[in-house]
Amino acid sequence: MSYIEQLRVEPGAKVDLRKIDAAWKGEHDSHEHAAPEIEEATRKLRELQFLLYAENKRALLIVLQGRDAAGKDGTINHVLGAMNPQGCTVTGFKVPSKEEAAHDFLWRYHKAAPAKGQVAIFNRSHYEDVLVVRVHELVPKEVWSKRYDHINAFERMLADDNVHILKFYLHIDPDEQLKRFKARIDDPTRHWKISDSDYAERPFWDDYTAAFEDAIGKCSTAQAPWFIIPSNHKWFRNLAVSKIVSEYMDSLGMKFPPPSVDIEAIRKKYHALAN
Ligand code: AMP
Ligand code: MG
């Protein structure tokens, strides 16, 4: 069974994150053992992104969500490392600016959606509006509770317009998060990554769990599935995300477009020049 099938959340599923082992490693026992497969997935990703870019008919949106220190930045570094930057955009979403907050909640995300031929990666996303916003009641429940439907409608509209959407929840457990917080404290080159909000959010662990479970369960759809990626092991997270993205892109049956010129006529012109 592929990771697509194993890690995809079926539409309408009841998600229980506590039952999902964040330290799962698939069939691999170590990074070393998985290395050839990671390399192969990376190579395929590069090839398929080139094809998506050349074909210029559809777009891919990759949504990354997860708790603090779950590895959103690391995943972007890995997945993007396999791609040609000309065909990619990465957008991180923070606390909305004054201008963003003055608009409807989807406005800033829609602006960052990918053009045809492009891959867009969202580091946090429109899901924050049913995650942090729900946990801290930044808007009343009657406002956020309607957003699941709005999100599904937004994603369906994108999908109908040839934007393929893959959403990843990077799943770590509380011990792993603490380990990563410690690693940040102990490594001066990572002090800049530490934020007060990481520590402020930690006591809300269970509230976030409930919010993630609802968001993933209500918004995993055929056209925009959620995947829950066991992410305690960074190498497994990278492997699973790259394999899912590359296998998904492979399934699209993309083709290089036909030439816009008569290749035989061009060949003759070339020979005339070269002789
Ligand atoms: P980071 O990803 O570590 O740079 O942190 C970004 C912060 O922005 C996180 O604490 C998010 O919860 C917060 N954030 C992102 N989107 C929203 C939103 N729509 N409303 C409120 N806070 C948000
Ligand atoms: Mg952070």
Side-chain angles (χ1 to χ4, degrees):
M1 226 202 304
S2 67
Y3 291 137
I4 290 197
E5 289 158 348
Q6 279 176 295
L7 303 176
R8 185 179 51 209
V9 176
E10 294 313 313
K14 178 100 196 66
V15 180
D16 186 347
L17 288 175
R18 272 158 301 191
K19 289 211 178 109
I20 300 174
D21 179 10
W24 194 64
K25 294 184 273 192
E27 67 198 30
H28 299 288
D29 44 25
S30 66
H31 186 181
E32 235 180 355
H33 184 255
E37 209 181 327
I38 297 175
E39 201 169 303
E40 171 61 15
T42 305
R43 192 191 59 73
K44 272 195 84 177
L45 212 48
R46 181 171 294 122
E47 231 174 71
L48 288 159
Q49 186 229 353
F50 183 60
L51 189 49
L52 181 98
Y53 184 77
E55 196 198 44
N56 204 26
K57 262 174 57 181
R58 60 190 113 212
L60 177 65
L61 171 59
I62 298 174
V63 168
L64 294 176
Q65 287 287 167
R67 299 172 196 268
D68 297 306
K72 298 181 288 296
D73 295 333
T75 306
I76 292 170
N77 198 10
H78 181 83
V79 171
L80 209 72
M83 294 188 178
N84 181 338
Q86 266 207 112
C88 293
T89 56
V90 180
T91 312
F93 295 99
K94 313 259 179 196
V95 178
S97 68
K98 213 168 163 204
E99 191 191 16
E100 288 169 343
H103 286 82
D104 68 88
F105 88 98
L106 287 171
W107 181 73
R108 63 175 183 163
Y109 309 107
H110 198 179
K111 274 206 307 188
K116 288 187 174 54
Q118 297 278 320
V119 177
I121 304 183
F122 283 6
N123 184 350
R124 302 185 190 268
S125 68
H126 41 302
Y127 284 92
E128 290 293 325
D129 295 85
V130 290
L131 293 167
V132 64
V133 169
R134 162 174 160 165
V135 169
H136 294 295
E137 293 179 79
L138 302 180
V139 301
K141 181 171 183 185
E142 65 258 34
V143 175
W144 62 253
S145 60
K146 288 189 188 137
R147 289 182 172 171
Y148 302 99
D149 286 344
H150 295 314
I151 287 173
N152 284 336
F154 170 58
E155 293 180 353
R156 192 164 57 246
M157 181 276 293
L158 291 177
D160 284 347
D161 242 330
N162 268 337
V163 180
H164 297 266
I165 306 169
L166 299 172
K167 302 177 297 201
F168 297 96
Y169 171 66
L170 307 181
H171 181 45
I172 55 169
D173 56 36
D175 290 346
E176 180 63 24
Q177 189 189 50
L178 271 193
K179 247 173 71 186
R180 292 185 186 184
F181 284 176
K182 170 104 176 32
R184 285 180 179 180
I185 294 170
D186 292 344
D187 177 357
T189 72
R190 282 196 270 175
H191 282 176
W192 65 274
K193 289 204 95 165
I194 302 174
S195 89
D196 269 331
S197 89
D198 299 347
Y199 289 80
E201 296 308 303
R202 171 88 182 182
F204 296 95
W205 184 277
D206 291 340
D207 296 331
Y208 273 102
T209 302
F212 275 119
E213 287 172 346
D214 263 359
I216 295 169
K218 289 178 196 284
C219 302
S220 197
T221 57
Q223 71 272 0
W226 269 107
F227 297 87
I228 297 175
I229 307 296
S231 298
N232 274 13
H233 299 285
K234 295 174 182 173
W235 60 264
F236 180 77
R237 171 202 77 203
N238 289 342
L239 171 66
V241 173
S242 340
K243 282 207 81 160
I244 289 169
V245 175
S246 68
E247 281 171 23
Y248 179 81
M249 288 174 91
D250 208 17
S251 76
L252 299 177
M254 294 186 286
K255 300 230 166 9
F256 285 105
S260 59
V261 294
D262 176 346
I263 295 294
E264 277 321 303
I266 291 288
R267 206 187 299 278
K268 282 187 190 125
K269 282 187 188 168
Y270 167 79
H271 284 300
L273 278 181
N275 286 333

